[in-house]
Amino acid sequence: MRTMSQRDFKRHTVTAALPYANGPIHIGHLAGVYVPADIYVRYLRSKGEDVAFICASDEHGMAITMRSRKEGTTPQAIVDRYHGMIQDSMDQLGISFDIYSRTSNKTHHDTAQMFFKKLYQEGLFEERVSEQYYDDEAQQFLADRYITGTCPNCGHPSAYGDQCENCGSSLNPTDLINPISTLTGNPPVKKETKHWYLPLQNYEAWLNEWIVEGHKKDWKPNVWGQCKSWIDGGLQPRAMTRDLDWGIKVPVEGADGKVLYVWFDAPIGYVSATREWAEREGKEWEPYWKSDDTKLVHFIGKDNIVFHCIIFPAILKSMGDYVLPDNVPANEFLNLEGDKISTSRNWAVWLHEYLIDLPEKQDVLRYALCSNAPESKDNDFTWKDFQARNNNELVAILGNFVNRALVLTHKYFDGKVPVRGEVFDIDKEVLDQLGKVPNKVGDSIEKYRFREALAEMMELARMGNKYLADTEPWKLIKTDQDRVGTILNIALQLVANLSIVAEPFIPFSADKLRKLLNIERLDWSSAGNDELLAEAATLEKPSLLFEKIEDKTIEAQVQKLEDTKKQNEMENQEISLAPLKEDIVFDDFMKLDLRVGTIIEAKKVEKSNKLLQFLVDTGVDQRTILSGIAKQYDPAEMLGKQVTIIANLAPRKMMGVASQGMILMAEDAEGNLRLIQPNEAVNPGSVIS
Ligand SMILES: [Zn+2]
């Protein structure tokens, strides 16, 4: 059990959850993982710590192959597309990874196989043969998501093998009623297959000691509590291999056609990426994973807790010489406008679109997501709140303070830092507060309380505004220029401090601040110092740090979401359409005698509120045909219309009347009927083929 305090660590390995390369990044990912991780790392770097900030695209697993199948392309094409997109957009947001790799790299394949082989050779896996669903025609085992059927709990007709999205219950494929392979539409068969299981139950005692006892105080309650309930509930062996053709080959005999479980290989991606980074930088990678004085921290979302707190540590522990995470500050979920963010429903604010729609506003997003981060409970992102954070906080507090200090200095002192003269209590109070800010911000960051840290940072700007409001230099300038010089000198020192303590949160604005002040990047150790700016140093002409975001910008974003909602509603209708029928041969089709006929008489069928009775001229005869369209069509409006009929349907009696054929109608998902008509008039009896 390690009990080192912060200062005993010599280096930091900070990982951010590997984004899954089957879609772009959205604000939920950012608020949950990447923004807090980046704040943490930027702070550590500012303190001069040795940090490796590691991330990569997770490019294996079932969802990738499913997506490629859906789009009619290869898994490689999918991951290539999204890897590039994710990397670009994160970079543009200033997420400062030391390396952003990908799990399809050879280094990663080698590393993951090395891990598996080592555990295999140590005899740590349990080999088990079990029956799993297999698609005979596609000649492959079916992953849970490739099987649909009726939910045993709610009767939903298209539940997946692992979950019913209608009632939310988690399922096994064998629970489904009338299971169907989505690959071929055939019912799957059961077939034996062998897999390698990690016997997690063997780690229970150790996990209990390490997490439940050892990290009760320093891990977030939501993370610790979830681990405890997993461990208390009893851990089960978990298969670390899959029957799949996309992924990392299982490097042992008798494992043809099998790959490593994506959750076995993905966290090892942190190690692989560290190796790549170290090689690139001419460093040793091992200390970042194997040295006791390395602090390992995993930033993840709450859906990944079990993998990062139970399974991956069990693997690391079994490897023998790896450090364990010192903390796993997982966040809860961010919702969007009151609804769960969903990639499949396109209910998200996508980073790559945000960067185009709201150019040069990276810091506004970083700020809004951090100030509203779902640190201890699920939170909601709304565009109104986003606008308010910008207009009422970044513009009105931070931007306003910086601008006033700079504008007044240019106005009264020609843009040069004025001399600080005698200081009074009101000045001492401000300087005293300033001295405390870096520790307050830093302590909160080190406790993974990023909202609190951000608020402490903003407190400095608030204090600056209050100081100017209380001292009113714009009034004093008429009577006491020296006093005004002192006030502005102090205000400018606060601005210089903001360029340091705001940097982890809003790095683009911190950079602008440094340029306005003509200063170099300063370390965290300089923060709190009230003599960062030398007297008579020249400042640049002030320009606005933040601009107001107008209503129309916000309305456009809200409209975009409204459009998504409409689109989803339409797609849901499509889903409720009848499924395609089985294939028929051409001869079956040729048996149908389809013709155009003209309606020459039309009336209601007595005692029926559904049926209309028509006399139809088929070219060869005039015959009676009944049709169940009385709710949508009046007899009168049908007169003279050309319609499509099946002329050789055996006669059927309905309500005492024999119908000699059938009129064809199109029916949409809501049951609306429309006639099928030739688009120009044709002779009655024309054959349709
Ligand atoms: Zn269900």
Side-chain angles (χ1 to χ4, degrees), residues 295-338:
K295 181 169 180 173
L296 173 63
V297 178
H298 297 308
F299 282 87
I300 58 166
K302 70 172 165 187
D303 48 339
N304 290 346
I305 290 175
V306 66
F307 302 107
H308 286 81
C309 298
I310 308 274
I311 299 176
F312 188 46
I315 293 168
L316 291 175
K317 172 89 176 151
S318 300
M319 292 297 288
D321 47 359
Y322 281 74
V323 295
L324 297 168
D326 184 75
N327 212 317
V328 185
N331 273 340
E332 302 285 301
F333 287 148
L334 186 71
N335 296 321
L336 171 60
E337 302 281 355

Side-chain angles (χ1 to χ4, degrees), residues 150-156 159 163-169 171:
T150 302
C151 172
N153 300 318
C154 73
H156 181 63
Q163 198 193 18
C164 171
E165 291 191 340
N166 188 50
C167 68
S169 54
L171 302 169

Side-chain angles (χ1 to χ4, degrees), residues 55-84:
C55 197
S57 293
D58 179 2
E59 305 193 333
H60 298 133
M62 185 53 53
I64 306 272
T65 58
M66 287 194 77
R67 177 118 198 179
S68 70
R69 205 175 276 274
K70 206 169 154 188
E71 295 190 13
T73 181
T74 60
Q76 191 63 49
I78 295 288
V79 299
D80 286 349
R81 184 198 312 162
Y82 290 113
H83 171 74

Side-chain angles (χ1 to χ4, degrees), residues 67 255 591 628 667 673:
R67 177 118 198 179
K591 286 179 190 165
E667 181 175 5
L673 298 170

Side-chain angles (χ1 to χ4, degrees), residues 164-283:
C164 171
E165 291 191 340
N166 188 50
C167 68
S169 54
S170 73
L171 302 169
N172 288 313
T174 46
D175 297 335
L176 293 173
I177 301 161
N178 299 327
I180 292 289
S181 159
T182 60
L183 298 184
T184 60
N186 297 333
V189 296
K190 282 182 184 162
K191 196 171 166 176
E192 285 192 340
T193 180
K194 181 165 86 172
H195 285 290
W196 287 264
Y197 287 71
L198 191 64
L200 290 172
Q201 71 279 12
N202 297 350
Y203 298 83
E204 263 177 30
W206 165 71
L207 286 167
N208 202 59
E209 189 195 345
W210 174 54
I211 299 176
V212 180
E213 302 298 325
H215 284 299
K216 191 171 184 166
K217 295 222 170 78
D218 62 333
W219 283 18
K220 291 169 74 167
N222 56 328
V223 178
W224 182 86
Q226 212 185 103
C227 293
K228 183 175 188 302
S229 84
W230 271 81
I231 297 164
D232 287 353
L235 299 173
Q236 303 293 324
R238 194 147 178 153
M240 292 293 126
T241 53
R242 289 288 187 273
D243 290 295
L244 195 68
D245 57 4
W246 176 248
I248 298 173
K249 301 267 172 273
V250 178
V252 299
E253 261 182 54
D256 289 346
K258 296 177 198 296
V259 297
L260 300 179
Y261 175 38
V262 65
W263 270 113
F264 180 85
D265 96 66
I268 295 171
Y270 302 137
V271 180
S272 321
T274 309
R275 290 177 73 173
E276 279 180 52
W277 164 76
E279 194 170 318
R280 195 185 69 197
E281 301 292 317
K283 293 178 175 232

